[in-house]
């Protein structure tokens, strides 16, 4: 004899679990969008862009290691950041895809065995990203970008990564309850 109340509860629990997961995944993407738009809003308010972290590097790093997404989403995210920051279309997309694919290939080495190893991997990612972006900007704009500004942005990006990691991990961990 099958207990119908248990089967009904299982169906409701499964359905509510799916809804809960969907809501937290949507919240994850909303948080990513807000982290991306926040620096742009501050720039429009007159805050110096040189001191703002490149949250998008932390988001790509986090996505590659902890929340895999299809490559086309990384591409679209790059298009969005190019539009927001007034860069030539495709610059960030190309860089994000290069970084994302490299991180996916090194996933087993970088996956957080400890917070220190995670930060070392992130620091390397930031250095690579900023270096490649610097080369592209020098080539595209045909003038040297101030290296101090790049170092300052790299520093603030590294400084804010633990907050990005904490926020996005909290959201994703809540989706699995």
């Amino acid at each position: 004899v099958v207990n119908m109340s248990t089967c009904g509860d299982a169906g409701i629990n499964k359905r509510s679990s799916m809804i809960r997961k969907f809501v937290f995944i949507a919240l994850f993407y909303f948080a990513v969008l807000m982290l991306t738009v926040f620096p742009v809003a501050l720039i429009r308010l007159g805050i110096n862009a040189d001191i703002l972290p490149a949250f998008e590097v932390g988001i790509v790093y986090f996505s590659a290691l902890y929340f895999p997404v299809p490559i086309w989403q990384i591409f679209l995210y790059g298009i969005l950041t190019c539009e927001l920051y007034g860069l030539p279309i495709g610059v960030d997309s190309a860089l994000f895809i290069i970084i994302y694919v490299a991180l996916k290939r090194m996933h087993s080495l970088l996956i957080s065995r400890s917070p220190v190893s995670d930060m070392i991997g992130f620091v390397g990612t930031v250095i690579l990203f900023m270096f490649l972006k610097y080369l592209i900007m020098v080539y595209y704009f045909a003038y040297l970008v101030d290296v101090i500004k790049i170092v300052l942005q790299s520093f603030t990006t590294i400084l804010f990564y633990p907050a990005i990691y904490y926020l996005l991990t909290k959201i994703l961990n809540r989706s699995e309850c």
Side-chain angles (χ1 to χ4, degrees), residues 18 33 57 71 76 82 100 102 118 122 129 135 155 161 167:
M18 287 175 47
L33 181 64
V57 180
I71 199 84
L76 289 179
C82 286
Y100 187 80
D118 191 40
F122 183 67
F129 178 82
L135 290 178
F155 179 73
Y161 176 70
L167 172 70

Side-chain angles (χ1 to χ4, degrees), residues 8 23 29 34 51-52 113 124 130 133 142 149 151 156 171:
V23 166
Y29 282 108
M34 290 299 101
I51 62 169
L52 297 176
R113 295 183 182 139
M130 294 299 186
K133 194 163 191 173
K149 292 178 181 180
V151 169
T156 58
I171 292 170

Side-chain angles (χ1 to χ4, degrees), residues 36-176:
T36 304
V37 172
F38 180 70
V40 176
L42 291 177
I43 291 168
R44 300 249 163 98
L45 291 174
I47 303 293
N48 187 354
D50 301 336
I51 62 169
L52 297 176
F55 287 130
E56 60 273 13
V57 180
I59 291 167
V60 171
Y61 183 83
F62 184 88
S63 294
L65 296 183
Y66 303 106
F67 186 69
V69 296
I71 199 84
W72 63 267
Q73 287 182 5
I74 297 296
F75 176 78
L76 289 179
Y77 183 61
I79 296 293
L80 172 70
T81 59
C82 286
E83 278 296 311
L84 288 173
Y85 290 106
L87 298 173
I89 298 295
V91 169
D92 277 351
S93 292
L95 290 175
F96 291 167
I97 289 172
I98 289 167
I99 297 292
Y100 187 80
V101 169
L103 289 170
K104 292 300 283 179
R105 295 211 184 266
M106 296 186 298
H107 182 269
S108 62
L109 296 173
L110 295 173
I111 196 70
S112 186
R113 295 183 182 139
S114 73
V116 173
S117 67
D118 191 40
M119 280 306 293
I120 290 170
F122 183 67
V123 168
T125 301
V126 169
I127 291 170
L128 177 63
F129 178 82
M130 294 299 186
F131 175 72
L132 292 174
K133 194 163 191 173
Y134 174 79
L135 290 178
I136 290 171
M137 292 311 194
V138 166
Y139 176 76
Y140 182 78
F141 290 113
Y143 70 90
L144 293 178
V145 180
D146 188 4
V147 175
I148 299 297
K149 292 178 181 180
I150 293 171
V151 169
L152 186 58
Q153 187 178 32
S154 299
F155 179 73
T156 58
T157 301
I158 292 165
L159 190 66
F160 276 90
Y161 176 70
I164 293 171
Y165 175 84
Y166 178 79
L167 172 70
L168 298 179
T169 302
K170 274 293 199 198
I171 292 170
L172 289 177
N173 285 345
R174 299 280 301 191
S175 73
E176 296 173 359

